[in-house]
Amino acid sequence: MNNAVDDVVIVGGGLAGTLTALELSRRCAEASITVLTASSLDVCASMMAQGGMAVPRVDRADDAEVHVADTIAAGNGHCDVDVVRSIIGDAPRLVHVLETGGVRFDRDVHGAPSYACEGGHQCARVLRASDATGAHVMQTLHAELRRQRNVRIREHCRCMSVRVRPNHVLLSCMNVHDGDHIMLTARSVVLAMGGSGQLYAHTSNPPTAMGDALRIAEELGLPLRDLEWMQFHPTAFATSTCSGTAPLITEAIRGAGAWLRNTAGERFMPRYDARAELATRDVVVAAMREEMEREATDRVWLDCRHLDRQHLVAHFPTFIENCRALGLDPTVDLIPVRPVAHYQCGGIAASIDGSTSLARISAIGECARTGMHGSNRLASNSLLEAGVMAMRCAERLAADIAHPTMIA
Ligand code: SIN
């Protein structure tokens, strides 16, 4: 492998970056690929995804169109319909690629996919691996990534700036342990750097989600779009110890029947929306904010006391464990929750295959803006978008490597 000039440097080791590296490696065994991560490989938002990946149900022929309709409704009419249709249309291929790579989504006793329900979905269509879907997917893919002979993984190496030269790209990076400057050169760079939740007081995002991709893109002159649409997730733990990155409580718990109560004890969501706790996130968060403002408090309460303990233990072990760590028992106690900055719907203007207005720079996953999410992402559509973008980006980069004149 040529260490001097990589064919591709991928900045970010979440689902988007990792799957691009794997798919590119599979297609071009001779390509030299570097994956850079600002922390260790396992520190990424994908790893923390609890709920899962929304896909059209295999047992309902019309579900792809219903999934498209739900996505557009959640995005409040600001989605790009062709993009939504194209990404959802590629969901079966993504599931196949992930399962071929060793990912095991939950199945029911008959061996059929077991789907969870989340806000804004007209039916249960979220594939999951218990309530630690991201951890399972990423641990599986990262193990595979570490086996690739043509992929070099550089952890704790934060990309500070990117400059495009006529025939290559320069990446100026910092070793986060000792501050040493590291210069990398690549024929092509993929920005897969996640979001910017750490710019907010409370977030579900990992410490690396500082908006670096936006700064780098701005310096490169890449257009940024829809940055005002930061999505807040309704339910993160709201104890005094949960500042910075707060543990999330998956929306699938509300899908399983949990309610939200104000401090007076009222189940308030039915007053705001007929879908109650399963309204889209923007609606639930707006209702929570109104209740918190009226009661002059910074939290509302998640009520799971009426849910079956066995079901909770079997399907939400991460939630139970996080409750236990805070001295709470969800079958007895109300759980304090508040909204946290969760997902950057806008970002670097990019096509589904990650191409941007600069031939040698791609942007994929949360740092990119394709038009899939509009002003409010439908629950569990992020792993879907990241995975489909990764597959298509890898296909395009493989074609570029096979025909180098295509990117002059
Ligand atoms: C969740 O499990 O509620 C988070 C999934 C998502 O961000 O869509």
Side-chain angles (χ1 to χ4, degrees):
M1 179 161 67
N2 175 5
N3 282 334
V5 181
D6 277 313
D7 287 305
V8 180
V9 170
I10 298 167
V11 190
L15 178 63
T18 301
L19 192 59
T20 302
L22 284 173
E23 285 291 285
L24 185 57
S25 173
R26 188 173 64 77
R27 288 166 184 277
C28 301
E30 297 312 313
S32 65
I33 303 163
T34 290
V35 175
L36 283 187
T37 61
S39 182
S40 53
L41 190 58
D42 57 355
V43 176
C44 58
S46 305
M47 185 69 100
M48 299 162 85
Q50 294 181 19
M53 189 169 83
V55 297
R57 294 181 65 101
V58 291
D59 56 353
R60 294 193 193 169
D62 67 342
D63 197 41
E65 268 313 302
V66 183
H67 189 172
V68 167
D70 289 349
T71 299
I72 293 166
N76 298 307
H78 295 288
C79 302
D80 180 322
V81 178
D82 292 338
V83 166
V84 173
R85 206 161 260 137
S86 180
I87 288 177
I88 289 174
D90 229 0
R93 187 164 71 102
L94 174 61
V95 173
H96 176 74
V97 165
L98 293 176
E99 290 187 334
T100 305
V103 171
R104 296 288 169 262
F105 293 111
D106 292 350
R107 293 188 170 263
D108 65 19
V109 286
H110 307 292
S114 170
Y115 300 103
C117 192
E118 295 186 359
H121 291 274
Q122 291 180 57
C123 64
R125 66 162 74 87
V126 178
L127 286 178
R128 62 199 300 264
S130 185
D131 65 346
T133 309
H136 167 65
V137 170
M138 294 317 301
Q139 281 159 6
T140 306
L141 298 187
H142 282 163
E144 187 60 22
L145 190 69
R146 291 190 189 280
R147 286 193 280 271
Q148 303 306 304
R149 286 182 43 251
N150 61 334
V151 177
R152 182 171 50 154
I153 302 168
R154 292 190 78 139
E155 296 172 279
H156 308 286
C157 185
R158 183 175 174 192
C159 179
M160 305 305 290
S161 78
V162 174
R163 278 168 288 159
V164 178
R165 297 286 180 254
N167 295 311
H168 60 272
V169 183
L170 294 170
L171 297 98
S172 176
C173 309
M174 182 181 72
N175 178 327
V176 295
H177 288 318
D178 56 19
D180 267 7
H181 181 241
I182 300 158
M183 207 68 188
L184 299 177
T185 310
R187 295 193 175 83
S188 189
V189 167
V190 179
L191 304 176
M193 301 169 74
S196 54
Q198 290 293 338
L199 304 181
Y200 295 77
H202 300 289
T203 182
S204 61
N205 289 185
T208 47
M210 293 176 287
D212 281 357
L214 303 180
R215 178 177 47 74
I216 288 169
E218 173 81 3
E219 284 167 7
L220 284 168
L222 290 170
L224 302 174
R225 295 189 59 191
D226 299 343
L227 292 186
E228 67 278 27
W229 289 331
M230 171 58 82
Q231 177 173 76
F232 284 73
H233 191 291
T235 53
F237 284 96
T239 65
S240 50
T241 50
C242 294
S243 56
T245 302
L248 200 69
I249 300 173
T250 178
E251 183 147 347
I253 295 226
R254 280 176 283 127
W259 297 327
L260 290 167
R261 294 190 185 279
N262 58 25
T263 298
E266 181 206 1
R267 184 185 167 208
F268 57 87
M269 275 312 301
R271 253 197 297 120
Y272 289 88
D273 194 288
R275 297 166 294 179
E277 282 81 1
L278 288 180
T280 49
R281 287 181 185 164
D282 52 347
V283 173
V284 177
V285 167
M288 289 169 74
R289 286 202 203 289
E290 205 167 312
E291 293 299 307
M292 292 189 295
E293 210 166 296
R294 205 170 44 76
E295 295 190 315
T297 179
D298 65 350
R299 61 197 59 183
V300 298
W301 306 88
L302 189 70
D303 188 355
C304 305
R305 296 172 302 177
H306 54 291
L307 301 183
D308 179 54
R309 176 185 278 273
Q310 308 281 33
H311 184 82
L312 280 179
V313 169
H315 295 280
F316 300 101
T318 306
F319 171 58
I320 299 284
E321 188 46 46
N322 284 337
C323 284
R324 195 172 291 141
L326 294 165
L328 297 166
D329 176 350
T331 61
V332 175
D333 302 309
L334 289 170
I335 309 300
V337 293
R338 70 173 149 234
V340 291
H342 183 58
Y343 188 85
Q344 177 188 287
C345 294
I348 304 165
S351 306
I352 302 173
D353 66 3
S355 49
T356 69
S357 55
L358 289 172
R360 292 183 186 276
I361 308 289
S362 306
I364 57 173
E366 187 174 352
C367 71
R369 184 271 182 203
T370 59
M372 170 81 175
H373 308 305
S375 63
N376 175 61
R377 173 172 68 77
L378 182 67
S380 287
N381 262 354
S382 55
L383 291 183
L384 172 62
E385 187 198 42
V388 169
M389 289 189 87
M391 293 191 306
R392 300 226 194 145
C393 185
E395 280 160 17
R396 179 174 53 82
L397 294 175
D400 289 346
I401 290 169
H403 306 285
T405 49
M406 284 170 69
I407 51 168

